[in-house]
Amino acid sequence: MKSLCVYCGANPGATPRYAEAAQALARALVDDNVALVYGGGKVGLMGVIADEVLRLGGEVTGVIPTALVEREVGHTGLTRQFIVKDMHERKAMMAQLSDGFIAMPGGMGTLEELFEMLTWSQLGIHAKPIGLLNVEGFYDGLVGFIEHAQGQGFVRPQHAALMMVEAEPAALLRRFKSAA
């Protein structure tokens, strides 16, 4: 794996543990010589992980729509920054640049990006690993819902298994490597 896309909140969340996990994931990426691809923002967990990867000497590629640059939330110190037309172009470029996807705690945008990559994998559009960094049990409810949807016949077991879930960054990266 040369680069991983990380989806995460544009807010810091309710506990400092989320930022600590973003920093830990940044360290794990740099230790494994894996570049970060992310949404290009300087705020929230997005800013935390980008700043930490850069501080540790790693590479960071941001992909941000023009509308968000204009709101002054774009990070200005990245290794590479692509400014794109809209969110659709952003997601497609992030997917193209990445060898896998990790969702950290985040809001609606994080969930939307995660589920798009899961759907693309289910449809055979890509075969890249997808994981949840389940910090402090943040995604326990989502994991339970996927299990419920599977039990109700809406999600096949092999599709539910596409989503690797770990509480620690290093454990998730090890699973990604073993899946490759």
Side-chain angles (χ1 to χ4, degrees), residues 33-178:
N33 200 31
V34 175
L36 170 67
V37 175
Y38 85 119
K42 67 179 178 183
V43 295
L45 295 183
M46 289 174 37
V48 171
I49 193 168
D51 287 343
E52 187 69 3
V53 169
L54 291 167
R55 186 185 75 75
L56 295 170
E59 288 190 24
V60 180
T61 299
V63 183
I64 190 166
T66 304
L68 294 181
V69 171
E70 293 167 357
R71 291 184 195 166
E72 300 183 277
V73 298
H75 200 300
T76 57
L78 304 178
T79 310
R80 292 186 300 172
Q81 177 83 294
F82 295 99
I83 299 173
V84 297
K85 180 178 68 171
D86 56 32
M87 294 296 283
H88 296 291
E89 190 175 336
R90 175 197 216 179
K91 291 183 296 181
M93 180 176 273
M94 288 167 65
Q96 179 184 14
L97 293 171
S98 303
D99 298 317
F101 310 93
I102 295 174
M104 288 197 60
M108 299 297 190
T110 300
L111 292 171
E112 188 267 338
E113 291 165 325
L114 167 68
F115 278 105
E116 184 160 26
M117 289 306 103
L118 285 166
T119 301
W120 287 10
S121 181
Q122 177 181 319
L123 296 173
I125 295 170
H126 75 78
K128 301 173 183 180
I130 304 164
L132 290 179
L133 188 55
N134 194 19
V135 181
E136 299 285 308
F138 182 83
Y139 282 115
D140 288 351
L142 179 62
V143 171
F145 175 76
I146 298 297
E147 290 169 356
H148 172 71
Q150 182 180 332
Q152 295 299 307
F154 290 103
V155 175
R156 293 182 179 157
Q158 68 269 27
H159 297 146
L162 293 171
M163 191 167 61
M164 299 177 208
V165 182
E166 293 291 342
E168 296 299 325
L172 188 54
L173 291 181
R174 278 193 302 275
R175 286 190 62 191
F176 272 36
K177 287 179 196 172
S178 68

Side-chain angles (χ1 to χ4, degrees), residues 22-34 56 169-171 173 177:
Q23 291 170 326
L25 179 55
R27 281 190 302 278
L29 291 172
V30 172
D31 287 349
D32 284 353
N33 200 31
V34 175
L56 295 170
L173 291 181
K177 287 179 196 172

